[in-house]
Amino acid sequence: LCLLLSLAMESLQTLLPERVSSLLDLLLNGLGGLGGALLAGLTVNPPGPLRKLAALRREWFLPGRAMALGLVALGLWALAQLTPLLLSLDTNPLRKGLLPLWTPGFPTLFNWPQLAAYACTVAGLGLFGAILARAEKDTVRPFIGFAGAVLLVKILVMGRYLALETAIGAAMGMVLAVVLRPAPRPFRLAAAGLSL
């Protein structure tokens, strides 16, 4: 079905003057569909490590496809932070990336909108994760670890500095998510939506 959909898209592209259809696109789309189908097969009867991950998911998060989609959204946020996905195992980028946190006067201009955006995003994700989790599970420490790990790995992957605005915004977002965690579920849902 993926191959047929790709064939239809590539065929339609021949009618558009600014688009170019490609046999390589058709092949890669078909292979992507095949890879997705094979991965979906792993979810039915997962092997050892995936079985443990599935057990953790059942233990910590509410059942249902909507909850699974929410977890995918959290994973996609982490993946979006780590693009272009070229992980370096050298520790120099990590040290250089944390430089703004302890070097006075660096960076010279403070970006308040970036701070606000990161605070809202992290708070929204924290509240969203708490909504997905079972009521008896305390998601505060796992979420702080998750968000912190994403930011640190972002330095290694992106080869950039961890901006002071990003670090402070993320910390503010984590605090806000922790403070709003005990609020009633409808309020948390609205706050998560508004924050995101």
Side-chain angles (χ1 to χ4, degrees):
L1 288 175
C2 291
L3 193 60
L4 288 174
L5 177 63
S6 181
L7 180 63
M9 288 172 34
E10 295 299 322
S11 299
L12 288 173
Q13 284 183 9
T14 61
L15 303 174
L16 300 171
E18 65 274 355
R19 300 291 302 188
V20 177
S21 62
S22 165
L23 187 59
L24 181 62
D25 283 351
L26 177 67
L27 177 67
L28 292 176
N29 288 340
L31 287 174
L34 177 64
L38 292 174
L39 283 174
L42 288 176
T43 62
V44 175
N45 188 15
L50 291 179
R51 191 174 297 129
K52 290 178 184 174
L53 189 62
L56 276 174
R57 189 254 185 256
R58 283 190 302 275
E59 179 186 343
W60 276 82
F61 296 98
L62 296 170
R65 291 179 190 242
M67 299 303 158
L69 186 60
L71 290 172
V72 168
L74 287 174
L76 288 175
W77 170 79
L79 192 62
Q81 300 300 304
L82 304 178
T83 322
L85 302 175
L86 299 173
L87 183 59
S88 167
L89 298 177
D90 185 14
T91 57
N92 269 345
L94 185 60
R95 276 186 262 138
K96 282 173 56 180
L98 294 173
L99 188 65
L101 300 180
W102 58 71
T103 304
F106 182 84
T108 53
L109 298 174
F110 198 80
N111 188 339
W112 291 100
Q114 182 182 349
L115 179 134
Y118 245 87
C120 287
T121 300
V122 171
L125 289 171
L127 291 170
F128 187 60
I131 290 166
L132 298 175
R134 295 185 181 277
E136 69 273 7
K137 294 294 183 182
D138 182 15
T139 58
V140 171
R141 282 183 289 201
F143 176 72
I144 289 173
F146 169 71
V150 167
L151 291 176
L152 289 178
V153 172
K154 183 177 184 174
I155 295 168
L156 295 172
V157 171
M158 302 294 281
R160 295 185 188 159
Y161 292 105
L162 179 63
L164 195 58
E165 297 91 336
T166 301
I168 294 173
M172 288 172 61
M174 289 176 196
V175 168
L176 191 57
V178 169
V179 168
L180 294 177
R181 170 102 169 68
R185 184 180 170 87
F187 179 81
R188 283 185 291 151
L189 191 57
L194 288 173
S195 295
L196 292 172

